[in-house]
Amino acid sequence: MVKTLAIRLMPYSNQDPLPAWYRNSGARRANKPTDKDGEIWQPDFSDPLFLKHWGELCAEAGRRYDGNPFLDSVDIRR
């Protein structure tokens, strides 16, 4: 039996904080600390820094897994 891999790329989770290097990079935040979901730093998806880093991550995943016979599917969320 051959096992295949499915991967999901997500820019953030509402349960896990973004890395400090990103939060401190000058990137814009979509929510405020006082918002209901303010404990988790949500990125501003229209921020050029977000688009740069997210685009680089997706491109690198594409290079790494392109043609991999065990990769069944890729789910990219935003």
Side-chain angles (χ1 to χ4, degrees):
M1 179 166 115
V2 175
K3 293 186 178 187
T4 59
L5 174 68
I7 61 174
R8 173 178 286 168
L9 300 177
M10 293 175 53
Y12 90 107
S13 158
N14 62 1
Q15 298 172 348
D16 302 300
L18 290 170
W21 69 263
Y22 183 79
R23 294 189 317 260
N24 297 325
S25 72
R28 291 191 311 243
R29 180 178 181 166
N31 60 347
K32 298 179 207 130
T34 55
D35 289 347
K36 183 178 177 183
D37 64 349
E39 289 184 33
I40 298 296
W41 202 96
Q42 181 182 351
D44 178 341
F45 297 129
S46 66
D47 181 1
L49 277 175
F50 170 81
L51 295 171
K52 174 187 178 294
H53 291 297
W54 182 240
E56 289 172 354
L57 179 111
C58 291
E60 183 57 34
R63 281 188 289 277
R64 180 175 182 142
Y65 294 105
D66 184 32
N68 186 314
F70 299 108
L71 182 60
D72 179 60
S73 63
V74 178
D75 178 15
I76 300 177
R77 304 247 172 157
R78 203 182 89 173

